[in-house]
Amino acid sequence: MIKIETIVRSNILELKPYSSARDEFKGKDGIFLDANENPFGILNRYPDPYQKELKQKLASLKSVTPNNIFVGNGSDEVIDLAFRIFCNPGFDKALTFSPTYGMYDVSAAINNVELLKLPLNKSFQINLKKMTPYFKDSNIKLVFICSPNNPTGNLINKSDIEFILDNFKGIVIIDEAYIDLAQEKSLINLLNQYNNLIVSQTFSKAWGLAAARVGMAFANEEIISLYNKIKPPYNVSELNQKAAINALINPSRFKNNLNKIRAAKRQLKTDLQQLDLVKKIYPSDANFLLIEVDNAHDIYTTLVNQKIITRNRNKQVRNCIRVSVGTPEENNRLITTLKKCDEKGIIYR
């Protein structure tokens, strides 16, 4: 266990948070003349700043208390606020493992924090021998681990994550955006064991609410209170809170869609393995496949010209494109187009 307050920016500890109208009066009944709202309309009132109804449902689903949950404007807000809470601009550092999700780099740059990037090994796992010397650097306040990782798709070994949690004296953020699609369980069950752990999840992937921008962080109450202290007062709209609540109260639809995605992924992988231009398909615990080809740029461009949009990940993993699992019809169109291409991505028939 570490003393969280010792790694929090001093100005954040001293900050007096903004007090909104809904902080000062929490009731639902009455004539509301306190927040300078328009008295007319159906979306004229500010939303619940602490998303209490949504957190109650999440707490039941995740087996935590509402005080262990932060709800943000996408998981990108979870990432950004971590830099603001723990890293002094121009002085402190963060660390992650490449290739991985690009927003760690962007948020670090926005907050003027140096981001150290250690390469994953050939299996896209953490090299603990290379990691260990960084435990001595007291200026490293954050470690970001994406699991399942993006763009590679694989889970990071749990034992390696626990080793880092046991030895690192800062905050470890496990980005589990794709965990609902994996066969392994979330690391939320480690929260009682490690007070320096933050687990980030999202409604954007398996829950199908990318447009709603609802992310979550699970951590001990001390960390969650810091998140609530510095977040914008109404960071998640009423519409988006309701969208997430409606998704949670319809678990059968969620499970049905999840099963469809998994079945489509298995078929897509089988079909891709039959293509000569596909050199390798990396193991994936997410809703996408990282595919090695001879010429990622040309194949990506050919697919775009056919109005099939994949992701060119050649700069992250040489000669690789990343393909999200679509509907069976969309996947079939992808396969049909790739069958017409030679290994350089040129359509020849």
Side-chain angles (χ1 to χ4, degrees), residues 72-101:
N73 182 4
S75 54
D76 290 339
E77 185 175 28
V78 174
I79 296 166
D80 178 66
L81 293 186
F83 281 106
R84 298 190 187 199
I85 294 168
F86 297 107
C87 294
N88 289 286
F91 183 75
D92 289 325
K93 294 177 280 189
L95 184 146
T96 193
F97 305 91
S98 61
T100 194
Y101 182 42

Side-chain angles (χ1 to χ4, degrees), residues 38-220:
N38 188 323
F40 307 109
I42 57 174
L43 294 174
N44 55 317
R45 301 297 182 184
Y46 286 111
D48 174 4
Y50 298 110
Q51 309 93 23
K52 290 185 287 293
E53 183 180 359
L54 175 55
K55 287 180 180 177
Q56 286 288 350
K57 295 188 181 303
L58 282 170
S60 177
L61 178 67
K62 304 293 183 178
S63 299
V64 296
T65 72
N67 291 336
N68 295 125
I69 305 171
F70 169 79
V71 177
N73 182 4
S75 54
D76 290 339
E77 185 175 28
V78 174
I79 296 166
D80 178 66
L81 293 186
F83 281 106
R84 298 190 187 199
I85 294 168
F86 297 107
C87 294
N88 289 286
F91 183 75
D92 289 325
K93 294 177 280 189
L95 184 146
T96 193
F97 305 91
S98 61
T100 194
Y101 182 42
M103 276 305 296
Y104 310 144
D105 218 335
V106 173
S107 288
I110 290 171
N111 288 283
N112 192 22
V113 174
E114 181 183 359
L115 182 66
L116 307 174
K117 288 174 274 191
L118 297 183
L120 296 169
N121 63 25
K122 292 181 179 180
S123 299
F124 296 136
Q125 295 293 335
I126 295 171
N127 186 324
L128 291 179
K129 288 185 179 180
K130 291 184 178 180
M131 171 66 189
T132 300
Y134 291 90
F135 293 146
K136 299 177 182 179
D137 189 341
S138 61
N139 291 125
I140 300 176
K141 298 298 179 62
L142 302 174
V143 169
F144 289 94
I145 302 173
C146 190
S147 181
N149 190 30
N150 177 12
T152 61
N154 62 293
L155 284 160
I156 302 300
N157 292 332
K158 182 181 177 182
S159 59
D160 294 345
I161 293 174
E162 290 181 300
F163 180 84
I164 293 171
L165 283 163
D166 284 326
N167 291 278
F168 180 57
K169 302 307 179 185
I171 301 297
V172 179
I173 302 178
I174 310 300
D175 186 344
E176 291 187 337
Y178 301 94
I179 194 63
D180 293 310
L181 296 139
Q183 298 298 330
E184 299 295 325
K185 293 182 178 180
S186 166
L187 296 185
I188 288 175
N189 58 10
L190 296 180
L191 289 179
N192 291 331
Q193 187 175 344
Y194 299 102
N195 73 330
N196 61 332
L197 171 63
I198 299 174
V199 177
S200 173
Q201 295 183 4
T202 181
F203 279 89
S204 294
K205 307 303 181 183
W207 290 95
L209 292 178
R213 309 305 304 129
V214 181
M216 302 154 278
F218 302 89
N220 69 75

Side-chain angles (χ1 to χ4, degrees), residues 261-304:
I261 292 170
R262 286 172 172 164
K265 176 183 170 184
R266 289 192 294 269
Q267 185 61 54
L268 177 61
K269 182 177 180 180
T270 297
D271 292 340
L272 286 167
Q273 288 172 329
Q274 309 305 312
L275 302 177
D276 291 338
L277 60 79
V278 173
K279 305 305 176 186
K280 182 175 182 177
I281 302 173
Y282 287 93
S284 173
D285 296 287
N287 66 330
F288 60 82
L289 296 171
L290 186 69
I291 303 164
E292 181 184 339
V293 293
D294 275 336
N295 194 323
H297 177 75
D298 286 348
I299 290 176
Y300 167 79
T301 301
T302 294
L303 290 172
V304 169

